[in-house]
Amino acid sequence: MKHLLSMESLTRDAIYSILELAETMKATRGRHEKLPLAGQCWALIFSKSSTRTRVSFEVGIRELGGSVMFLSSADIQLGRGEPIKDTARVMGRMLDGAVIRTFLQSDVEIFSEYSQIPTVNALTDDEHPCQILADLQTIREKLGGVEGRIVCFIGDGACNVARSWIWAAARLDFELRIAAPQGYQPDAQLLERARQSGRIVVSSDPLEAVRGADVLYTDVWVSMGKEEEAAERLRAMAHYQINDTLLQVAAPGAIVMHCLPAYRGKEITAETFEAHASTLFDQAENRLHAQKAILQLIARRS
Ligand code: CP
Ligand code: NVA
């Protein structure tokens, strides 16, 4: 594996390799036998805000022996219109790897192609693979694995996190249900492709969708870049909230997950959030371990 660009591009074996190494990373934090990024310099190139992704990559790269620089796109010439191809060719000559958060999926792909250095997608409008890998690690810890389970995503079924979940379902053995209002359901062509190998059910009835589900998952209703649509989105998704009513029909012992940041009173109630805080913050912590596994697997060997 040279890059981590999407869940779609990962094989089932690659996902399991990441999850197994992530478990080791977590168990051996602070006393890793090898430092795969020793002597390396990586950059985080971000065009969107971030708390978890930025902190977990900065800490993770350092814990694996590397050094790291954070480059906001507003601070580099990329933000003034320098093409991604040129940015990539410059950075490829100096850096050992790049972690990119941006809008277009094609920008991450072009960067990886032109820079020739290991490249990680740290969120685009299309996908958030690092998030879903950390989520799968969390589900392993809490439920022993996602295999045979029912995961229900509630809210914006067309967002990056939902799309990456769709590809996880296409690769692994579980049922994914997406409850989203019309206009915020996954793209039909994407679903058709993913359904060739995955069990994915889409509905506009959240109560029906969560019935018997083992994992209730949500994300913000207004993703970064969609701020102008905020009022419309809040109206459309008002009944797609994780709350006690939904939890009552979920499977006994169902867990609640959220990639965070969370907006209480919108996609999740404050009470449900606090009742499930230990899972939610284990999920956030697992970003660090899952990403360290990804970094070790894609890093150039010295
Ligand atoms: N879940 C997630 O990616 O969080 P940040 O936007 O804070 O990085
Ligand atoms: N769908 C959200 C995820 C944030 C981590 C967004 O793109 O803003």
Side-chain angles (χ1 to χ4, degrees), residues 52-101:
R52 280 143 288 269
T53 310
R54 177 176 177 177
V55 174
S56 53
F57 270 110
E58 290 210 25
V59 170
I61 289 168
R62 290 190 179 101
E63 288 188 0
L64 294 179
S67 57
V68 57
M69 67 182 76
F70 180 82
L71 303 171
S72 151
S73 64
D75 297 334
I76 59 175
Q77 299 289 5
L78 186 66
R80 298 181 65 245
E82 184 168 23
I84 191 84
K85 280 182 188 176
D86 297 356
T87 307
R89 281 178 284 190
V90 172
M91 293 195 178
R93 291 180 181 225
M94 301 176 192
L95 293 166
D96 296 289
V99 176
I100 304 180
R101 170 167 283 205

Side-chain angles (χ1 to χ4, degrees), residues 49-54 101 122-123 128 131 224 259-261 287:
S49 305
S50 172
T51 299
R52 280 143 288 269
T53 310
R54 177 176 177 177
R101 170 167 283 205
L123 181 147
H128 197 2
Q131 179 68 55
M224 292 179 278
C259 57
L260 305 182
R287 296 292 304 279

Side-chain angles (χ1 to χ4, degrees), residues 144-202:
V146 78
E147 298 75 16
R149 299 287 185 172
I150 300 171
V151 175
C152 186
F153 183 99
I154 302 138
D156 180 4
C159 79
N160 40 18
V161 171
R163 289 170 64 113
S164 289
W165 266 110
I166 288 173
W167 290 112
R171 303 288 174 257
L172 306 180
D173 179 26
F174 68 96
E175 179 179 333
L176 176 66
R177 298 183 190 159
I178 296 182
Q182 296 294 336
Y184 300 95
Q185 294 186 348
D187 173 71
Q189 284 182 355
L190 171 104
L191 266 183
E192 197 185 315
R193 281 191 292 128
R195 277 179 172 149
Q196 287 170 11
S197 53
R199 285 180 287 147
I200 303 151
V201 181
V202 178

